[in-house]
Amino acid sequence: MLRKLMTTTLACALMAGPAIAYDLTEMSWDEIVDEAKAEGELTWYVWYFQPEFRQAVKPFEEQYGIIVNIPDVSSGDDALNKVLAEAGRETGDIDIIALGGQAGNRIDVEAVFLGPILPLLPEADRLSDEAEGVNWQGYGVKYWGNQTGMAYDANRVDPETLPQTLADLEAWIEANPYQLGFNYENGGSGPSFIHNVARNVLGITPDSVVDEVPDLVSVYDWFNSREDKFGITASNADSLTRLNSGEFLIVPAWEDMLFGLIRKNEVGDHIEFYIPEWGMNGGGNVIAIPKNAPRKAAALLFAAWLTSAETQTALNGVFGSAPANTAADDSNALVPNDQRANSRVWSAPLSDRDVVPGFIENVVQD
Amino acid sequence: MRNAIRIGLLLAPGVGLVLAFMGAVLYRAVAQAFGLYDFSGTSDGLSLAHWQDVLTTKRFWRAFQWSAYIAASSAVIAVALAYPIALWLRKPFRGSLILSAMLKAPLLVPGLVAAFLLVNVISYHGFVNEFLVWAGVWAEPRRMQNDSNGFAIIGLQVWKQMPFAFLLLSGAVQAIPDPVLNAAQDLGAGKFARFRKIILPLTTKAMQAALVLIFIGAAGDFSFQTVAGPPSVNSMASYMASLQGSEGDWNGAAVVAVMLMALSLFGAIGLTALVQLITRTLGRLA
Amino acid sequence: MRKSPFNTILSGLLIAVMTVWLAVPFGMALLWSLVDPSQAWSYPDILPPKLSFERWSLMWDSTSLPIAMFNSYSLAPMAGVGAVLLAMPTAYAFGRLEFKGKAVWQTLVLVPLIMPGFVTAIFFASLLFSMGFFARYPAILVGHVVMLLPYAVRILSVSFSLVRQDVVNAARDLGASPISVFRVAYLPVLKPGIFAAFLIVFILSIEEFALAFVVGSPDFTTIPTILYSYLGYNFIRPNAAVVALILVVPNVILMLILERLLQSANPAGISGKG
């Protein structure tokens, strides 16, 4: 019994030992593919659409015989915390991780991630390492583009009357009290709305330059003077759930998320989407491979597959996400292309991080 | 001496383990509140900076008041409901067994499920709204999920915690020997006199225990608040979890933790004293 | 039995109210869980347009619900056995021995019950973090055992105090070995208490959310954490309904068994003194 126990412990210790010593930069693509097939398995941390992604990675599993494990990750922040917390560990749990573009501002990417991986990918020249205005220096590769906008109940709102400018919005709220709802945490759709209303109230246009954070009192006043005419929701999903059940007429939402919910009939197809002229932020997610990933070759092969033109076209069809590969087809989307001009950036001018915490303190808690 | 060692050995795996574990956790919370074990690595020495950061936000104080309010109301309402029922069911009668079984039913339902069930029922076009609008009581549906009085959460707490109060109180009520009550009756004591001179003093302990347990449980609530509470306010536990989880601020979370424990402690002391005071005052009434 | 029309009417009324009180929420949850994935249930439909069990199998196939169930239903019995074993010596001391400071120790063992769950969870996670301990499964197991130990100690203390000294003495006088004494004099009396302690730890471990959520973050799932994810961040009502029902049904069955056990464990029944 004791001997059995000792051999198993030893075997475990060996398996958990230092990651296999090979250098991806020195290997040819074919060697990487062979190595990946030998590893046979990988774990991808992605914090949204896990059930859908488990279906979407099937072609990869069939093509290479490599199993993709997608655990249920509680949130993007939690996933990021885990990577940071375990950076000092010799072998981690994560082979490849999806992160919002802005996470790059909070991490020393060179210290935490393997790379640069972008030049190693076969389709590198059609891909980008920039997302949400953050340059990932090749350590993260963009695989997902998405857009926040406003979702509305088309049965009860005439598209002609949808608010487009701040003045429209003010009038609309006045005419439809408590028919607008948005979240301030648990997802970025509400924060995007708050951020862009703030820019409009402050008169900051997309091409202006903001050197220091202006006084936000006028922004807080704008919201506080209307506080009994809009509703605060708990999350991205809560906004859409309550829009679907008829409680609100219009809520901020992510285009890809709404697309996915409509496709599965979790939200009715009378819910439609537009990007108003006052602007809503566009988002982008990257994938990166932690330095202590146990199966680096499989992770890199997966990154190549995920960002390939073929996969990006397929993802666009399933999720309505904006392809990150310039050779991919992007004809599936909820909004016509001319509205894309209203897409804004999270970080500049005036970052959302300069607006949202103050909003929570001075509007939500007021 | 040998006996003491024997007792020590017997207690070690049970009480010993519990105290070692809880002691370590408690020490960690207090130490992190005062700036030790700073994972962000900016500073690692004793400091009050984290208190300064947390205690100056409106968000913290609203959470503190909110948790205190929810906990106190839930404890008082749950006990106020359970007490008369426990008295009423002291003697079995037809249907009393089914009734007491049904009263304990919420023990079967995990808190998260209860919160979900409630949110379903009170949602904007949920059963309650549709029914009351149909019946003409309300002119239009109400947004009960955003209710700033927290009635939904207090309702959930009472629903979930009343069985505990009921079990504790009915145990105490049933332990009062019949001869004592009969003797009092023979001496001409009326119903109310019997209640305040005999029943109330003999059940004070149980009532205090019930109030304290419910207060502490409700003050530390996370699930009800995040699922069914108004999104614009945090409970102490949800604020603590958000500081630690979303912002990675362990030390700030530790300050909230220490304040939450202080709230639990002082709430418990306050409620115990209050019950004592009421019992004494009622007992003195001639 | 006292018969008063007032009691009968009032209790009948209360039973009716409570039936509605239970039936309406569960009925709505069931209805939501049966919404067919091919047609959405949205305003202004009063009832879902199409019903089926499709969503149940969909949730089973495409989420980590099977893993979560495996985790929960394997953690719970281990936590139950662990808590019962660790509680035994202390319960013996509390139930059968007199010593100085006993009342203090009896109170101290209850500390996990009054410590807010999220405080325990977050600072236990902080300790694990400092130690560089990353194995979530054993960490949660240890946490559950310690947090639920007070229940086992309390229940087993009562059981130990019910063991009759004359039976123990008689067995000893007949020359029984310590093991046989335990088997003959202790075990029959302890049995219902052991089962009850095991079951209550089992049920509470299945329900435990704070520790599993914080220590298990971001990807270790138990049934409550997956339920929370469908209620919180990813609130999709029909899916949440499925998970909620999966969590609650086995629980009700287990609780009914527990209720039976606790009744059979009543003092009069065991000691034969009734």
Side-chain angles (χ1 to χ4, degrees), chain A residues 45 51 54 71-74 78 82 85-86 89 93 156 186 235 237 241 244-246 261 264-266 268 270, chain C residues 37-43 55 62-64 129 134 136 217-219 221 226 230 232-237 239:
Chain A
Y45 272 55
R54 287 186 194 115
D72 271 0
V73 174
S74 42
D78 290 347
K82 182 180 165 76
E86 302 193 359
R89 207 176 154 191
D93 296 330
R156 299 189 291 150
N186 294 326
S235 63
T241 296
N244 181 56
S245 64
L261 292 176
K264 288 191 296 169
N265 283 300
E266 279 154 353
H270 61 290
Chain C
S38 71
Q39 261 178 307
W41 182 14
S42 34
Y43 180 79
R55 200 170 284 281
S62 65
T63 68
S64 52
F129 185 95
F134 297 107
R136 268 85 45 86
S217 166
D219 62 320
T221 46
I226 203 172
Y230 283 102
Y233 200 83
N234 302 311
F235 183 43
I236 304 300
R237 198 165 266 148
N239 298 347

Short mmCIF file of all heavy atoms in Angstrom, two decimals, chain A residues 45 51 54 71-74 78 82 85-86 89 93 156 186 235 237 241 244-246 261 264-266 268 270, chain C residues 37-43 55 62-64 129 134 136 217-219 221 226 230 232-237 239:
data_model
loop_
_atom_site.label_atom_id
_atom_site.label_comp_id
_atom_site.label_asym_id
_atom_site.label_seq_id
_atom_site.Cartn_x
_atom_site.Cartn_y
_atom_site.Cartn_z
N TYR A 45 -8.69 29.15 -21.20
CA TYR A 45 -9.49 29.96 -20.29
C TYR A 45 -10.15 31.07 -21.06
O TYR A 45 -9.48 31.94 -21.59
CB TYR A 45 -8.61 30.56 -19.17
CG TYR A 45 -8.48 29.64 -18.00
CD1 TYR A 45 -8.02 28.34 -18.16
CD2 TYR A 45 -8.83 30.06 -16.72
CE1 TYR A 45 -7.90 27.49 -17.08
CE2 TYR A 45 -8.71 29.21 -15.63
CZ TYR A 45 -8.24 27.94 -15.82
OH TYR A 45 -8.13 27.09 -14.75
N PRO A 51 -20.22 27.47 -23.24
CA PRO A 51 -20.94 26.37 -23.89
C PRO A 51 -20.84 26.44 -25.42
O PRO A 51 -20.64 25.42 -26.08
CB PRO A 51 -22.39 26.58 -23.45
CG PRO A 51 -22.31 27.38 -22.20
CD PRO A 51 -21.10 28.26 -22.37
N ARG A 54 -17.33 25.48 -26.66
CA ARG A 54 -17.10 24.03 -26.62
C ARG A 54 -17.57 23.38 -27.92
O ARG A 54 -16.99 22.40 -28.37
CB ARG A 54 -17.82 23.41 -25.41
CG ARG A 54 -17.13 23.74 -24.11
CD ARG A 54 -17.74 23.03 -22.90
NE ARG A 54 -17.23 23.68 -21.70
CZ ARG A 54 -17.96 24.35 -20.82
NH1 ARG A 54 -19.25 24.37 -20.94
NH2 ARG A 54 -17.39 24.97 -19.81
N PRO A 71 -12.88 25.31 -19.18
CA PRO A 71 -13.57 25.33 -17.89
C PRO A 71 -14.54 26.51 -17.81
O PRO A 71 -14.40 27.48 -18.55
CB PRO A 71 -12.44 25.49 -16.86
CG PRO A 71 -11.27 25.98 -17.62
CD PRO A 71 -11.48 25.70 -19.08
N ASP A 72 -15.52 26.42 -16.92
CA ASP A 72 -16.42 27.55 -16.68
C ASP A 72 -15.67 28.58 -15.85
O ASP A 72 -15.43 28.37 -14.67
CB ASP A 72 -17.67 27.09 -15.92
CG ASP A 72 -18.76 26.64 -16.86
OD1 ASP A 72 -18.52 26.69 -18.08
OD2 ASP A 72 -19.83 26.22 -16.40
N VAL A 73 -15.28 29.67 -16.47
CA VAL A 73 -14.54 30.70 -15.75
C VAL A 73 -15.52 31.77 -15.29
O VAL A 73 -16.36 32.22 -16.07
CB VAL A 73 -13.46 31.30 -16.67
CG1 VAL A 73 -12.77 32.46 -15.99
CG2 VAL A 73 -12.46 30.24 -17.05
N SER A 74 -15.42 32.16 -14.02
CA SER A 74 -16.47 33.01 -13.45
C SER A 74 -16.51 34.41 -14.06
O SER A 74 -17.57 34.95 -14.31
CB SER A 74 -16.34 33.09 -11.93
OG SER A 74 -15.01 33.21 -11.54
N ASP A 78 -11.56 37.58 -12.76
CA ASP A 78 -11.10 36.43 -11.99
C ASP A 78 -10.02 35.66 -12.74
O ASP A 78 -9.05 35.19 -12.16
CB ASP A 78 -12.27 35.50 -11.67
CG ASP A 78 -13.23 36.12 -10.66
OD1 ASP A 78 -12.85 37.13 -10.04
OD2 ASP A 78 -14.35 35.60 -10.50
N LYS A 82 -6.11 35.09 -11.64
CA LYS A 82 -5.49 33.78 -11.51
C LYS A 82 -4.14 33.74 -12.23
O LYS A 82 -3.16 33.23 -11.70
CB LYS A 82 -6.42 32.69 -12.07
CG LYS A 82 -5.85 31.28 -11.91
CD LYS A 82 -6.81 30.25 -12.48
CE LYS A 82 -6.15 28.90 -12.67
NZ LYS A 82 -5.96 28.15 -11.42
N ALA A 85 -1.74 35.66 -10.10
CA ALA A 85 -1.44 34.99 -8.84
C ALA A 85 -0.51 33.80 -9.06
O ALA A 85 0.32 33.49 -8.22
CB ALA A 85 -2.73 34.53 -8.18
N GLU A 86 -0.65 33.16 -10.22
CA GLU A 86 0.11 31.92 -10.42
C GLU A 86 1.32 32.11 -11.32
O GLU A 86 1.94 31.15 -11.76
CB GLU A 86 -0.83 30.84 -10.97
CG GLU A 86 -1.99 30.61 -10.03
CD GLU A 86 -2.79 29.36 -10.34
OE1 GLU A 86 -2.44 28.67 -11.31
OE2 GLU A 86 -3.74 29.09 -9.61
N ARG A 89 4.42 30.35 -10.29
CA ARG A 89 4.38 28.89 -10.19
C ARG A 89 5.12 28.28 -11.38
O ARG A 89 5.06 28.82 -12.48
CB ARG A 89 2.90 28.51 -10.27
CG ARG A 89 2.53 27.26 -9.62
CD ARG A 89 1.02 27.17 -9.76
NE ARG A 89 0.63 25.78 -9.73
CZ ARG A 89 -0.58 25.35 -10.03
NH1 ARG A 89 -1.49 26.20 -10.43
NH2 ARG A 89 -0.85 24.07 -9.96
N ASP A 93 -1.96 26.03 -14.65
CA ASP A 93 -3.09 25.24 -15.13
C ASP A 93 -3.51 25.66 -16.54
O ASP A 93 -4.26 24.97 -17.19
CB ASP A 93 -4.31 25.45 -14.23
CG ASP A 93 -4.08 24.97 -12.81
OD1 ASP A 93 -3.30 24.01 -12.66
OD2 ASP A 93 -4.67 25.54 -11.88
N ARG A 156 -41.97 47.76 -29.88
CA ARG A 156 -42.56 48.89 -29.20
C ARG A 156 -41.82 50.21 -29.42
O ARG A 156 -42.29 51.25 -28.97
CB ARG A 156 -42.68 48.59 -27.69
CG ARG A 156 -43.58 47.37 -27.44
CD ARG A 156 -43.88 47.19 -25.97
NE ARG A 156 -42.69 46.80 -25.22
CZ ARG A 156 -42.50 47.11 -23.94
NH1 ARG A 156 -43.36 47.86 -23.31
NH2 ARG A 156 -41.42 46.70 -23.31
N ASN A 186 -19.98 44.26 -13.70
CA ASN A 186 -20.34 42.96 -14.26
C ASN A 186 -20.58 43.04 -15.76
O ASN A 186 -21.61 42.62 -16.27
CB ASN A 186 -21.56 42.35 -13.58
CG ASN A 186 -21.29 42.00 -12.13
OD1 ASN A 186 -20.16 41.61 -11.80
ND2 ASN A 186 -22.27 42.16 -11.29
N SER A 235 -26.05 43.43 -14.47
CA SER A 235 -24.99 42.97 -15.37
C SER A 235 -25.43 43.14 -16.81
O SER A 235 -26.59 43.46 -17.08
CB SER A 235 -24.69 41.48 -15.11
OG SER A 235 -25.83 40.71 -15.41
N ALA A 237 -26.02 40.76 -18.85
CA ALA A 237 -27.07 39.79 -19.10
C ALA A 237 -28.38 40.21 -18.47
O ALA A 237 -29.45 40.03 -19.04
CB ALA A 237 -26.65 38.41 -18.59
N THR A 241 -31.99 40.49 -20.19
CA THR A 241 -33.08 39.68 -19.67
C THR A 241 -34.29 40.57 -19.38
O THR A 241 -35.42 40.23 -19.68
CB THR A 241 -32.63 38.96 -18.38
OG1 THR A 241 -31.59 38.05 -18.73
CG2 THR A 241 -33.77 38.19 -17.75
N ASN A 244 -35.88 41.87 -22.58
CA ASN A 244 -36.66 40.81 -23.19
C ASN A 244 -37.99 40.61 -22.49
O ASN A 244 -39.00 40.32 -23.12
CB ASN A 244 -35.86 39.51 -23.16
CG ASN A 244 -36.59 38.36 -23.82
OD1 ASN A 244 -36.98 38.45 -24.97
ND2 ASN A 244 -36.78 37.28 -23.07
N SER A 245 -38.00 40.80 -21.15
CA SER A 245 -39.26 40.55 -20.45
C SER A 245 -40.12 41.81 -20.38
O SER A 245 -41.08 41.85 -19.63
CB SER A 245 -38.98 39.99 -19.05
OG SER A 245 -38.31 40.95 -18.29
N GLY A 246 -39.76 42.84 -21.14
CA GLY A 246 -40.66 43.97 -21.29
C GLY A 246 -40.52 45.06 -20.24
O GLY A 246 -41.32 45.99 -20.20
N LEU A 261 -27.50 35.29 -27.94
CA LEU A 261 -28.73 35.02 -27.19
C LEU A 261 -29.92 34.88 -28.12
O LEU A 261 -30.79 34.03 -27.92
CB LEU A 261 -28.99 36.13 -26.17
CG LEU A 261 -27.98 36.22 -25.01
CD1 LEU A 261 -28.28 37.42 -24.12
CD2 LEU A 261 -28.02 34.95 -24.18
N LYS A 264 -29.95 31.51 -29.90
CA LYS A 264 -30.41 30.39 -29.09
C LYS A 264 -31.82 30.62 -28.55
O LYS A 264 -32.27 29.87 -27.68
CB LYS A 264 -29.44 30.16 -27.92
CG LYS A 264 -28.13 29.56 -28.40
CD LYS A 264 -27.29 29.09 -27.24
CE LYS A 264 -26.90 30.26 -26.38
NZ LYS A 264 -26.31 29.86 -25.10
N ASN A 265 -32.46 31.69 -29.01
CA ASN A 265 -33.81 32.01 -28.56
C ASN A 265 -33.90 32.23 -27.06
O ASN A 265 -34.92 31.94 -26.44
CB ASN A 265 -34.80 30.92 -28.98
CG ASN A 265 -35.15 31.06 -30.43
OD1 ASN A 265 -35.67 32.09 -30.85
ND2 ASN A 265 -34.82 30.06 -31.20
N GLU A 266 -32.81 32.68 -26.46
CA GLU A 266 -32.90 33.05 -25.05
C GLU A 266 -33.41 34.48 -24.95
O GLU A 266 -33.87 34.92 -23.91
CB GLU A 266 -31.53 32.86 -24.38
CG GLU A 266 -31.34 31.39 -24.03
CD GLU A 266 -29.91 30.95 -23.95
OE1 GLU A 266 -29.01 31.74 -24.28
OE2 GLU A 266 -29.69 29.79 -23.57
N GLY A 268 -35.81 37.11 -27.56
CA GLY A 268 -36.59 37.07 -28.79
C GLY A 268 -35.97 37.89 -29.92
O GLY A 268 -35.19 38.82 -29.66
N HIS A 270 -37.22 40.07 -31.70
CA HIS A 270 -37.73 41.43 -31.83
C HIS A 270 -36.79 42.43 -31.14
O HIS A 270 -37.00 43.62 -31.20
CB HIS A 270 -39.12 41.53 -31.20
CG HIS A 270 -39.15 41.19 -29.74
ND1 HIS A 270 -38.94 39.92 -29.27
CD2 HIS A 270 -39.31 41.97 -28.64
CE1 HIS A 270 -38.98 39.93 -27.94
NE2 HIS A 270 -39.20 41.16 -27.54
N PRO C 37 -35.84 25.62 -26.65
CA PRO C 37 -34.84 26.51 -27.22
C PRO C 37 -35.19 27.03 -28.62
O PRO C 37 -34.55 27.96 -29.09
CB PRO C 37 -33.57 25.64 -27.29
CG PRO C 37 -33.82 24.50 -26.37
CD PRO C 37 -35.30 24.30 -26.33
N SER C 38 -36.19 26.46 -29.26
CA SER C 38 -36.47 26.92 -30.62
C SER C 38 -37.35 28.18 -30.62
O SER C 38 -37.48 28.84 -31.64
CB SER C 38 -37.15 25.82 -31.43
OG SER C 38 -38.47 25.64 -30.95
N GLN C 39 -37.97 28.52 -29.50
CA GLN C 39 -38.80 29.71 -29.46
C GLN C 39 -38.63 30.45 -28.14
O GLN C 39 -38.78 29.86 -27.08
CB GLN C 39 -40.27 29.33 -29.65
CG GLN C 39 -40.77 29.53 -31.07
CD GLN C 39 -42.20 29.11 -31.21
OE1 GLN C 39 -42.56 27.99 -30.86
NE2 GLN C 39 -43.02 29.99 -31.73
N ALA C 40 -38.31 31.72 -28.23
CA ALA C 40 -38.08 32.49 -27.01
C ALA C 40 -39.39 32.78 -26.29
O ALA C 40 -40.43 32.90 -26.92
CB ALA C 40 -37.37 33.79 -27.34
N TRP C 41 -39.29 32.91 -24.94
CA TRP C 41 -40.43 33.36 -24.17
C TRP C 41 -40.16 34.80 -23.78
O TRP C 41 -39.35 35.07 -22.92
CB TRP C 41 -40.61 32.49 -22.93
CG TRP C 41 -41.80 32.86 -22.10
CD1 TRP C 41 -42.83 33.66 -22.47
CD2 TRP C 41 -42.09 32.44 -20.76
NE1 TRP C 41 -43.75 33.75 -21.45
CE2 TRP C 41 -43.33 33.03 -20.39
CE3 TRP C 41 -41.45 31.60 -19.84
CZ2 TRP C 41 -43.91 32.81 -19.14
CZ3 TRP C 41 -42.03 31.41 -18.60
CH2 TRP C 41 -43.26 32.00 -18.25
N SER C 42 -40.82 35.71 -24.49
CA SER C 42 -40.57 37.10 -24.13
C SER C 42 -41.89 37.86 -24.06
O SER C 42 -42.93 37.38 -24.49
CB SER C 42 -39.61 37.77 -25.12
OG SER C 42 -39.79 37.28 -26.41
N TYR C 43 -41.80 39.07 -23.50
CA TYR C 43 -42.95 39.93 -23.38
C TYR C 43 -43.57 40.13 -24.76
O TYR C 43 -42.84 40.32 -25.72
CB TYR C 43 -42.50 41.27 -22.80
CG TYR C 43 -43.59 42.28 -22.60
CD1 TYR C 43 -44.45 42.19 -21.51
CD2 TYR C 43 -43.76 43.29 -23.53
CE1 TYR C 43 -45.46 43.11 -21.35
CE2 TYR C 43 -44.77 44.22 -23.36
CZ TYR C 43 -45.62 44.11 -22.27
OH TYR C 43 -46.62 45.03 -22.10
N ARG C 55 -34.06 21.88 -23.18
CA ARG C 55 -33.09 22.70 -22.48
C ARG C 55 -32.33 21.92 -21.41
O ARG C 55 -31.17 22.19 -21.13
CB ARG C 55 -33.79 23.91 -21.87
CG ARG C 55 -32.88 25.06 -21.55
CD ARG C 55 -33.68 26.28 -21.19
NE ARG C 55 -34.27 26.93 -22.32
CZ ARG C 55 -33.61 27.74 -23.15
NH1 ARG C 55 -32.34 27.98 -22.96
NH2 ARG C 55 -34.21 28.30 -24.16
N SER C 62 -23.74 20.86 -22.78
CA SER C 62 -22.85 21.93 -23.21
C SER C 62 -22.26 22.74 -22.05
O SER C 62 -21.43 23.61 -22.28
CB SER C 62 -23.58 22.86 -24.16
OG SER C 62 -24.62 23.51 -23.47
N THR C 63 -22.65 22.48 -20.81
CA THR C 63 -22.04 23.22 -19.72
C THR C 63 -21.18 22.28 -18.88
O THR C 63 -21.15 21.07 -19.14
CB THR C 63 -23.09 23.84 -18.78
OG1 THR C 63 -23.75 22.77 -18.11
CG2 THR C 63 -24.10 24.64 -19.56
N SER C 64 -20.52 22.84 -17.88
CA SER C 64 -19.73 21.95 -17.03
C SER C 64 -20.56 21.44 -15.86
O SER C 64 -20.03 21.11 -14.81
CB SER C 64 -18.47 22.66 -16.55
OG SER C 64 -18.80 23.89 -15.99
N PHE C 129 -2.83 31.41 -0.88
CA PHE C 129 -2.08 32.19 -1.86
C PHE C 129 -0.64 32.39 -1.39
O PHE C 129 0.31 32.18 -2.13
CB PHE C 129 -2.81 33.53 -2.01
CG PHE C 129 -2.27 34.44 -3.05
CD1 PHE C 129 -2.82 34.43 -4.33
CD2 PHE C 129 -1.23 35.31 -2.77
CE1 PHE C 129 -2.33 35.29 -5.29
CE2 PHE C 129 -0.74 36.17 -3.73
CZ PHE C 129 -1.28 36.15 -5.00
N PHE C 134 -1.96 25.57 -4.68
CA PHE C 134 -2.89 25.84 -5.78
C PHE C 134 -3.91 24.74 -6.03
O PHE C 134 -4.72 24.83 -6.93
CB PHE C 134 -2.12 26.10 -7.07
CG PHE C 134 -1.25 27.31 -6.99
CD1 PHE C 134 0.12 27.19 -6.90
CD2 PHE C 134 -1.82 28.57 -6.99
CE1 PHE C 134 0.92 28.32 -6.81
CE2 PHE C 134 -1.03 29.70 -6.89
CZ PHE C 134 0.34 29.57 -6.80
N ARG C 136 -7.10 23.27 -5.64
CA ARG C 136 -8.35 23.76 -5.08
C ARG C 136 -9.20 22.69 -4.42
O ARG C 136 -9.83 22.92 -3.42
CB ARG C 136 -9.17 24.48 -6.15
CG ARG C 136 -8.92 25.96 -6.23
CD ARG C 136 -7.71 26.33 -7.10
NE ARG C 136 -7.68 25.63 -8.36
CZ ARG C 136 -8.30 26.03 -9.44
NH1 ARG C 136 -8.99 27.12 -9.42
NH2 ARG C 136 -8.20 25.35 -10.55
N SER C 217 -12.21 30.04 -7.37
CA SER C 217 -12.16 31.01 -8.48
C SER C 217 -10.89 30.82 -9.29
O SER C 217 -9.83 30.60 -8.73
CB SER C 217 -12.19 32.42 -7.89
OG SER C 217 -11.82 33.35 -8.87
N PRO C 218 -10.94 30.92 -10.62
CA PRO C 218 -12.12 31.24 -11.39
C PRO C 218 -12.81 30.03 -12.01
O PRO C 218 -13.87 30.18 -12.60
CB PRO C 218 -11.53 32.09 -12.52
CG PRO C 218 -10.20 31.47 -12.76
CD PRO C 218 -9.72 30.95 -11.43
N ASP C 219 -12.26 28.83 -11.89
CA ASP C 219 -12.77 27.77 -12.76
C ASP C 219 -13.17 26.50 -12.05
O ASP C 219 -13.63 25.58 -12.69
CB ASP C 219 -11.72 27.44 -13.80
CG ASP C 219 -10.46 26.91 -13.14
OD1 ASP C 219 -10.10 27.45 -12.09
OD2 ASP C 219 -9.86 25.96 -13.64
N THR C 221 -15.68 24.40 -10.34
CA THR C 221 -17.11 24.57 -10.18
C THR C 221 -17.73 23.52 -9.27
O THR C 221 -17.36 22.35 -9.31
CB THR C 221 -17.85 24.47 -11.52
OG1 THR C 221 -17.34 23.34 -12.22
CG2 THR C 221 -17.65 25.70 -12.34
N ILE C 226 -21.85 27.12 -10.03
CA ILE C 226 -22.36 27.17 -11.40
C ILE C 226 -23.74 27.84 -11.39
O ILE C 226 -24.07 28.64 -12.27
CB ILE C 226 -22.38 25.76 -12.03
CG1 ILE C 226 -22.34 25.87 -13.54
CG2 ILE C 226 -23.57 24.96 -11.65
CD1 ILE C 226 -22.15 24.54 -14.22
N TYR C 230 -24.97 31.34 -13.35
CA TYR C 230 -26.15 31.52 -14.19
C TYR C 230 -27.14 32.53 -13.61
O TYR C 230 -28.03 33.00 -14.29
CB TYR C 230 -26.84 30.19 -14.47
CG TYR C 230 -26.08 29.42 -15.51
CD1 TYR C 230 -25.24 28.37 -15.18
CD2 TYR C 230 -26.14 29.80 -16.85
CE1 TYR C 230 -24.49 27.72 -16.13
CE2 TYR C 230 -25.40 29.15 -17.81
CZ TYR C 230 -24.58 28.12 -17.44
OH TYR C 230 -23.83 27.48 -18.39
N GLY C 232 -25.94 35.27 -11.73
CA GLY C 232 -25.27 36.55 -11.64
C GLY C 232 -24.79 37.04 -12.99
O GLY C 232 -25.55 37.58 -13.78
N TYR C 233 -23.53 36.78 -13.25
CA TYR C 233 -22.89 37.34 -14.43
C TYR C 233 -23.60 36.96 -15.73
O TYR C 233 -23.78 37.76 -16.62
CB TYR C 233 -21.44 36.87 -14.46
CG TYR C 233 -20.55 37.72 -15.32
CD1 TYR C 233 -20.00 38.89 -14.80
CD2 TYR C 233 -20.27 37.37 -16.62
CE1 TYR C 233 -19.20 39.68 -15.58
CE2 TYR C 233 -19.46 38.17 -17.41
CZ TYR C 233 -18.92 39.32 -16.89
OH TYR C 233 -18.14 40.11 -17.66
N ASN C 234 -23.98 35.68 -15.83
CA ASN C 234 -24.62 35.22 -17.07
C ASN C 234 -26.09 34.95 -16.86
O ASN C 234 -26.58 33.87 -17.14
CB ASN C 234 -23.97 33.90 -17.53
CG ASN C 234 -22.50 34.07 -17.75
OD1 ASN C 234 -22.07 35.00 -18.42
ND2 ASN C 234 -21.71 33.17 -17.18
N PHE C 235 -26.82 35.93 -16.30
CA PHE C 235 -28.20 35.64 -15.94
C PHE C 235 -29.09 35.41 -17.15
O PHE C 235 -29.50 36.35 -17.82
CB PHE C 235 -28.77 36.76 -15.08
CG PHE C 235 -30.17 36.48 -14.63
CD1 PHE C 235 -30.52 35.23 -14.18
CD2 PHE C 235 -31.14 37.45 -14.68
CE1 PHE C 235 -31.81 34.94 -13.77
CE2 PHE C 235 -32.44 37.18 -14.27
CZ PHE C 235 -32.77 35.93 -13.82
N ILE C 236 -29.33 34.15 -17.42
CA ILE C 236 -30.26 33.77 -18.48
C ILE C 236 -31.33 32.93 -17.79
O ILE C 236 -31.05 31.84 -17.33
CB ILE C 236 -29.56 32.94 -19.57
CG1 ILE C 236 -28.37 33.69 -20.13
CG2 ILE C 236 -30.54 32.57 -20.67
CD1 ILE C 236 -28.70 35.03 -20.75
N ARG C 237 -32.53 33.46 -17.72
CA ARG C 237 -33.52 32.87 -16.85
C ARG C 237 -33.81 31.39 -17.09
O ARG C 237 -33.79 30.61 -16.14
CB ARG C 237 -34.81 33.70 -16.91
CG ARG C 237 -35.70 33.45 -15.76
CD ARG C 237 -36.78 34.49 -15.61
NE ARG C 237 -36.39 35.54 -14.71
CZ ARG C 237 -36.79 36.81 -14.85
NH1 ARG C 237 -37.52 37.15 -15.87
NH2 ARG C 237 -36.43 37.70 -13.97
N ASN C 239 -32.01 28.98 -18.36
CA ASN C 239 -30.88 28.13 -17.96
C ASN C 239 -30.74 28.08 -16.45
O ASN C 239 -30.47 27.03 -15.86
CB ASN C 239 -29.59 28.65 -18.57
CG ASN C 239 -29.63 28.62 -20.08
OD1 ASN C 239 -30.51 27.98 -20.65
ND2 ASN C 239 -28.71 29.29 -20.72
#
